[in-house]
Amino acid sequence: MAEQSTAGWVGTNYRRKQDPRFLTGRGRYTDDIDLPGMLYGAILRSPHAHARIKSVNVEAAEKLPGVIAVLTGERAAQMCEPLPAVIALPGMRLNKSHAIAADKVRWVGEAVAAVAAQSRYIAEDALELIEVEYESLPAIVTIEQALAPDAAHLYEEWGTNVAMEHAFRTGDVDQALHEADLVVDESVAHHRYTGAPLEGRAVLADYDRITGELTAYISTQAPHQCRTLLAQILRIPEQKIRVIAPAIGGGFGNKLQVYDEVTPCLLSMATGRPVKWAESRSENLLAGVHSRDYVCGLKIGFRKDGTILGVKAKLVGNVGCDGTNRAAGIGALAVAAAYIPGPYKITNYAVEVTGVVSNKAPYGAYRGYGKDVANFPMERVLDIAARKLGISPREIRERNFIQPDEFPYQQCAGPVYDSGDYPACLRRALQMIDYDRVREEQARLRAAGRYIGVGFAAMLEPSGGAVPNCIFNGYEAATVRVTPQGGVTLLTGIQDIGQGVETTLAQIVADELSISPEDIKVIFGDTAMVPYGLGSWSSRGAAYGASCALMATRKVKDKILKIGGYLLKTRAEELELKGGKVASRDNPSRALSIAEIAKQLYLFPGPYLTLPEGLEPNLEATAYWTSPVVRWAPDEQGRLSIYTTHPSATFAALVEVDVATGHVKLLRFVIAHDAGTLINPMVVDGQIHGGVVQGISGALWEELKYDEAGNLLNPTFQDYLVPVAADLPDIEVAHLVSPSPFTPVGAKGMGEGGAIGSPAAVVNAVEDALAPFGVTIRGMPLTPERVLSLIREAASAPGARAAG
Amino acid sequence: MSTITVTVNGVVYREEIEPRLLLVDFLRDNLCLKGAHIGCEDGVCGACTVIVAGRAAKSCMMFAVQADGVEILTVEGLAQGARLHPIQEAFTEQHGLQCGFCTPAMVLSTYQLLARNPDPTAEQIRRGISGNICRCTGYTNIVKAVAAAAVKLRGAKASDAS
Ligand code: FES
Ligand code: FES
């Protein structure tokens, strides 16, 4: 156990309370839970990207011994409602889809039928016996195809494939570009990849036909939203649904939806027995949510010295078949529009965003949720512009950074930035990577025909988001309860998905009550136990989760002092809570422990103890926290502010490129990060390490590749390349601490940042390594083939530089 | 149906099973040992790793019938009562786990690695655990945990010897 510092438990590397369960195989993930009479579910998925369903024949499947129920889309449609929109902002087109398709399929992997059987083996056998007749339709895979005038429409009733349009402008961009010494006009693309948590989606649904009650164990980041959505979809009164999210084997944003999650519930309703469905890896990659997949054009005007005068952005995202109903992925594009200015002082800004549908898997949340979309193009184009201006990548960023004395900073697109020291992050990262020495080394190695490169990216990590008219709403709840023995439970709407809130929230409560985290049990992931809360996404645990836990604890502390004062016959103001005891400031020997007070209160309450007027016989309180800076009503310029805190960082990558094979080797990766007050530095480091590696992996290896017929070419871990330890160096992290003035703890969050800035850092490093070849990188992943073709293209370009 | 006899964590089981039953499903469903997880069923992620006849094996790549007459160690067999194995201790001390889904398998791969090489370099550790995917930690702290476990185990051995 970490020692408690004099300042308390916050800030210490308190060892995680949940670890022993996971280490001994007692994690109890959804798939680990078995119920009496349980059946196994399996889902048949469309092999077509775009097709009409002509007929579904389930006769043979139904006859297979051990099969208890088979659901077609048609049967399912009678049992439930279409999937409601989970985000509905102005300018968005919504669709009418069902958990199981009945008339049309829109991506390879869409559910068309489902089976419940006595074993998973039998259920999967039965899928093979289902015959579906399709009439295929033209597959729309790319943005160009989706926008072509004669394109087939995924949703005929729309008359277009455009699912979202959004535009915003402030200042006078055209004038700014006109006045600029240099205008850089670049278009960069980011391919499709996703979180691929090691545990896929999983549901164990248990419907009781007599009571009409449903208990559903779901691997989800947001149990309450699941309950609300299931109630609407399944037509079950919400009080009759209990969603339990036990241990979650990773989420990264990919477990914030309800579509395939409906199917096991339907199977349980159809059979009256518990039904478990744990998806296979191919299902996860084919039919789970995807992310990124956009093209962003940036037109930026600079002064000679690198000062940005104005930015015009045009962002087009390929949201696959759905970014509004199955999952709220499309909102990421709007977030990107708000954050393209990033950590830089930009006053003239215009952005146009388009989201188009295509016959690919649904678009969901994934670590970054648009902040990554904002980051990569800007950090990429700054490097390209620096080269054109003949200044260093460092100088161009330093020239434009918002300065530490300018906070709170009203950014031009609406957000209010809380605090930070962006130049200091940059300096620190360069120091860590030993920038000057690396440059010397680079020159020396180049002479020997070896190509190393260093690249960096500054990053902003807006956290604690609150999106209007969306399941990603903006409050959180916590209840703190003292037991008659003086122990404490914290009930939170935040979900532990690996990020460790079971421990870090206990640290917060412990400090406030001057007890040990050991004496605190954190309860989460059960809608029958915890107050309605919104779960884990947008790195909101530190802002929302910690804040409401602190507020609830303060209320309980107040009660403890009042009741302690009553029992000690001392005014509460003369007392303090220290070492788990209420004691008189003047006479510390007049003291009662929390346990003594709790025992008196709970076991001898009311008239027997005769509590003073206004005090209830409990040591319990619930508190809600809403962000003081989120603003949903547009200001006079039409701007919203939807994020609470703004952690920041600079990332730096050192790579070596083998120009003969195209292989990129990552030599070092460092990050100087500012997440405000650190609740548990060890946990913070871990979050950053993991996020960084996902971003690196996106830049170098991971890509969900579709062919022109809309087939996903790599739906297994054999060919969707997720890194192993040998592919990577240690991730080195340093912390700067600018506490947030907008949260009571000063913490900002840090779950996503790692994945936001790392792709740009890696790509910038590779381009730097290949500078002698005159390579400009506008896309990823940087596979050996791509690197080699970049070198070839640069060599054959007019005015190509010779490598040397 | 076939009948197999296997010893898992020191307990002998005799079970009648379908020949096509995967070892991982046998452990999880027949024996209720849920520590072996399923992350891909493709032999890539390693989440299903257990020690079969002294060697780390991906139990999604084996049929249960192939384990007939064999001794198996799963993560459930490592801790002694409430006392964690030194490898498990090192993982929690170094924050070598987040969601914990890869963890039992990582611990068992470490168990094999350190049995073969009690003092591995960082490079050797990285290679030694490369049959296991972790999606959360980025591996930095897992590598530290394995190194720390090596120190603990060498210490335990030395004190056993003295
Ligand atoms: S489940 Fe066995 S290797 Fe992935
Ligand atoms: S800790 Fe989540 S996969 Fe390793």
Side-chain angles (χ1 to χ4, degrees):
Chain A
M1 247 12 66
E3 286 297 301
Q4 180 183 12
S5 77
T6 45
W9 297 103
V10 168
T12 66
N13 292 333
Y14 191 82
R15 224 188 277 169
R16 298 202 326 164
K17 295 161 86 71
Q18 56 271 59
D19 286 358
R21 293 202 302 275
F22 296 139
L23 284 160
T24 53
R26 296 177 53 84
R28 298 276 151 84
Y29 302 88
T30 301
D31 192 23
D32 299 344
I33 301 166
D34 297 330
L35 292 176
M38 184 176 83
L39 301 172
Y40 294 79
I43 298 175
L44 183 69
R45 299 186 176 279
S46 165
H48 294 276
H50 199 188
R52 245 176 260 293
I53 298 173
K54 304 299 284 180
S55 67
V56 184
N57 183 345
V58 298
E59 241 172 77
E62 280 176 331
K63 285 200 190 114
L64 186 73
V67 170
I68 312 296
V70 182
L71 278 184
T72 61
E74 219 168 284
R75 286 181 195 171
Q78 285 159 13
M79 298 171 68
C80 66
E81 299 294 319
L83 305 168
V86 289
I87 184 167
L89 298 180
M92 285 181 186
R93 288 193 175 84
L94 310 176
N95 62 69
K96 205 172 160 194
S97 302
H98 277 88
I100 305 180
D103 49 354
K104 194 175 168 184
V105 289
R106 294 184 178 85
W107 91 95
V108 172
E110 180 161 5
V112 291
V115 173
Q118 261 164 336
S119 77
R120 192 159 62 93
Y121 292 66
I122 298 172
E124 283 173 17
D125 288 346
L127 294 187
E128 294 191 9
L129 298 175
I130 299 175
E131 288 166 32
V132 186
E133 201 189 324
Y134 296 95
E135 175 192 315
S136 74
L137 297 165
I140 307 285
V141 182
T142 64
I143 290 169
E144 294 70 38
Q145 286 169 341
L147 294 176
D150 58 345
H153 295 144
L154 266 76
Y155 303 96
E156 283 96 359
E157 64 278 16
W158 291 3
T160 172
N161 286 321
V162 173
M164 176 178 96
E165 277 168 306
H166 166 69
F168 169 81
R169 67 169 47 225
T170 181
D172 190 341
V173 190
D174 295 310
Q175 182 60 26
L177 295 181
H178 182 75
E179 282 168 15
D181 296 318
L182 171 76
V183 174
V184 176
D185 190 354
E186 282 286 348
S187 178
V188 298
H190 205 149
H191 58 291
R192 192 168 260 249
Y193 57 101
T194 193
L198 202 54
E199 177 210 32
R201 296 171 298 169
V203 178
L204 167 55
D206 185 12
Y207 181 73
D208 185 323
R209 283 166 161 176
I210 307 293
T211 61
E213 291 178 355
L214 172 73
T215 302
Y217 298 82
I218 306 182
S219 182
T220 178
Q221 300 173 229
H224 273 105
Q225 290 98 316
C226 278
R227 189 185 76 183
T228 300
L229 290 166
L230 285 176
Q232 289 179 44
I233 297 165
L234 300 172
R235 307 183 191 123
I236 299 175
E238 196 163 339
Q239 72 276 13
K240 289 194 169 191
I241 302 181
R242 175 179 184 188
V243 172
I244 300 172
I248 308 301
F252 318 120
N254 286 181
K255 289 178 179 165
L256 286 165
Q257 67 285 320
V258 172
Y259 56 100
D260 280 334
E261 287 79 356
V262 175
T263 303
C265 302
L266 291 173
L267 289 169
S268 180
M269 292 166 80
T271 58
R273 291 169 65 173
V275 176
K276 180 153 84 183
W277 166 73
E279 72 178 346
S280 68
R281 180 54 51 190
S282 328
E283 279 185 288
N284 177 260
L285 291 171
L286 269 174
V289 296
H290 294 174
S291 182
R292 314 308 192 238
D293 205 357
Y294 65 85
V295 181
C296 182
L298 282 184
K299 205 169 184 182
I300 309 185
F302 295 91
R303 227 184 259 136
K304 267 198 205 76
D305 65 0
T307 305
I308 297 172
L309 296 178
V311 176
K312 223 179 198 179
K314 197 168 166 23
L315 172 66
V316 189
N318 182 340
V319 305
C321 65
D322 186 359
T324 51
N325 291 58
R326 288 182 179 80
I330 204 163
L333 300 174
V335 169
Y339 281 102
I340 283 174
Y344 306 111
K345 253 185 275 186
I346 290 168
T347 47
N348 301 305
Y349 174 56
V351 59
E352 272 173 44
V353 183
T354 312
V356 305
V357 287
S358 70
N359 296 118
K360 299 196 205 175
Y363 204 59
Y366 170 43
R367 227 171 190 164
Y369 197 65
K371 287 91 82 176
D372 51 297
V373 181
N375 184 268
F376 179 70
M378 180 58 100
E379 292 303 311
R380 192 72 282 279
V381 173
L382 284 182
D383 266 26
I384 295 173
R387 211 160 53 226
K388 292 195 171 158
L389 289 163
I391 60 179
S392 74
R394 169 185 191 158
E395 202 180 335
I396 198 166
R397 288 173 175 83
E398 283 178 334
R399 180 77 61 206
N400 292 291
F401 274 146
I402 294 158
Q403 295 301 310
D405 59 359
E406 293 179 279
F407 296 102
Y409 180 84
Q410 172 65 63
Q411 190 248 55
C412 67
V416 181
Y417 295 175
D418 46 353
S419 62
D421 189 339
Y422 308 153
C425 276
L426 178 80
R427 284 195 301 273
R428 187 68 192 275
L430 295 187
Q431 201 180 47
M432 287 165 79
I433 203 117
D434 211 346
Y435 190 64
D436 298 328
R437 206 194 48 78
V438 167
R439 284 276 176 242
E440 287 166 22
E441 177 84 354
Q442 184 179 45
R444 200 176 55 73
L445 287 173
R446 265 183 199 167
R450 284 178 59 192
Y451 299 90
I452 64 167
V454 60
F456 48 94
M459 177 217 62
L460 210 61
E461 183 183 0
S463 293
V467 186
N469 223 17
C470 177
I471 60 165
F472 302 145
N473 202 309
Y475 59 87
E476 193 49 68
T479 299
V480 171
R481 250 179 221 160
V482 179
T483 71
Q485 282 185 332
V488 174
T489 57
L490 167 70
L491 291 83
T492 173
I494 294 282
Q495 179 68 27
D496 202 312
I497 53 172
Q499 86 283 41
V501 287
E502 184 174 343
T503 302
T504 47
L505 293 181
Q507 289 176 260
I508 305 250
V509 176
D511 272 356
E512 201 57 25
L513 294 180
S514 73
I515 57 178
S516 162
E518 195 113 319
D519 299 324
I520 297 162
K521 170 79 188 161
V522 178
I523 295 174
F524 58 89
D526 186 342
T527 60
M529 294 177 87
V530 307
Y532 201 104
L534 300 179
S536 291
W537 40 270
S538 192
S539 311
R540 65 196 292 282
Y544 285 90
S547 299
C548 63
L550 180 67
M551 316 284 286
T553 314
R554 281 185 181 156
K555 286 190 186 177
V556 167
K557 180 178 174 180
D558 196 54
K559 287 191 180 182
I560 293 172
L561 286 171
K562 279 199 180 124
I563 293 165
Y566 169 69
L567 293 173
L568 287 167
K569 302 190 175 40
T570 308
R571 286 183 27 230
E573 300 73 60
E574 286 163 28
L575 297 172
E576 61 183 352
L577 186 57
K578 227 175 154 181
K581 281 192 170 133
V582 171
S584 150
R585 275 184 230 274
D586 303 331
N587 179 5
S589 63
R590 284 176 60 77
L592 279 174
S593 68
I594 295 177
E596 286 164 320
I597 295 170
K599 188 173 163 196
Q600 282 285 323
L601 182 71
Y602 283 110
L603 306 183
F604 310 99
Y608 321 106
L609 178 76
T610 322
L611 281 177
E613 190 87 19
L615 279 182
E616 290 169 344
N618 71 55
L619 291 178
E620 172 172 336
T622 297
Y624 288 79
W625 194 77
T626 54
S627 166
V629 280
V630 164
R631 198 186 57 243
W632 285 352
D635 68 5
E636 59 292 345
Q637 292 199 54
R639 307 180 296 193
L640 314 179
S641 158
I642 61 171
Y643 283 89
T644 303
T645 55
H646 291 81
S648 55
T650 292
F651 299 64
L654 180 66
V655 301
E656 174 160 9
V657 183
D658 181 332
V659 298
T661 63
H663 180 251
V664 176
K665 185 170 164 67
L666 189 63
L667 303 173
R668 283 185 70 198
F669 199 99
V670 308
I671 163 166
H673 192 274
D674 186 345
T677 305
L678 304 181
I679 299 170
N680 184 324
M682 169 185 90
V683 165
V684 172
D685 285 351
Q687 285 292 298
I688 295 172
H689 295 158
V692 162
V693 164
Q694 287 185 356
I696 291 171
S697 183
L700 294 178
W701 304 297
E702 287 175 47
E703 177 175 23
L704 291 156
K705 267 192 157 163
Y706 282 85
D707 68 10
E708 48 311 340
N711 295 302
L712 180 65
L713 296 174
N714 51 352
T716 72
F717 273 166
Q718 305 266 6
D719 34 28
Y720 181 77
L721 299 179
V722 165
V724 294
D727 298 323
L728 295 156
D730 278 343
I731 306 303
E732 304 161 54
V733 182
H735 299 288
L736 288 87
V737 178
S738 315
S740 175
F742 300 158
T743 66
V745 179
K748 294 182 175 176
M750 40 52 223
E752 297 169 278
I756 295 172
S758 42
V762 170
V763 173
N764 289 349
V766 172
E767 190 174 282
D768 180 60
L770 297 177
F773 299 88
V775 160
T776 302
I777 304 177
R778 299 182 177 88
M780 296 177 277
L782 297 176
T783 56
E785 301 81 28
R786 188 189 287 267
V787 169
L788 288 180
S789 80
L790 281 166
I791 295 172
R792 267 197 308 272
E793 277 163 31
S796 60
R801 282 182 264 169
Chain B
M1 284 296 194
S2 324
T3 304
I4 60 166
T5 309
V6 279
T7 307
V8 184
N9 305 329
V11 181
V12 183
Y13 298 88
R14 209 178 147 74
E15 294 273 320
E16 204 166 294
I17 54 165
E18 263 192 272
R20 66 170 172 172
L21 185 69
L22 296 177
L23 179 59
V24 65
D25 290 330
F26 174 75
L27 293 171
R28 291 176 54 81
D29 296 341
N30 296 50
L31 305 190
C32 271
L33 294 169
K34 306 286 191 181
H37 298 149
I38 300 173
C40 71
E41 279 190 307
D42 233 351
V44 183
C45 77
C48 60
T49 303
V50 293
I51 307 287
V52 179
R55 294 183 52 185
K58 291 175 174 171
S59 60
C60 74
M61 291 277 100
M62 276 181 76
F63 292 112
V65 288
Q66 293 173 284
D68 190 20
V70 160
E71 261 189 54
I72 295 176
L73 173 69
T74 73
V75 75
E76 287 88 349
L78 273 187
Q80 307 227 320
R83 226 184 71 228
L84 296 180
H85 186 277
I87 297 175
Q88 293 168 318
E89 260 175 30
F91 267 73
T92 180
E93 282 164 14
Q94 302 299 324
H95 189 33
L97 65 152
Q98 290 181 23
C99 80
F101 201 77
C102 70
T103 306
M106 275 292 179
V107 165
L108 289 172
S109 290
T110 304
Y111 180 87
Q112 155 159 304
L113 169 69
L114 297 182
R116 291 180 179 175
N117 179 357
D119 191 10
T121 63
E123 183 80 34
Q124 288 167 332
I125 292 173
R126 284 190 176 270
R127 257 186 287 126
I129 58 166
S130 278
N132 295 72
I133 289 173
C134 173
R135 204 47 180 157
C136 298
T137 63
Y139 304 104
T140 297
N141 285 350
I142 294 184
V143 174
K144 276 194 210 152
V146 177
V151 173
K152 280 180 194 276
L153 287 174
R154 290 201 305 274
K157 234 191 191 154
S159 68
D160 277 358
S162 63

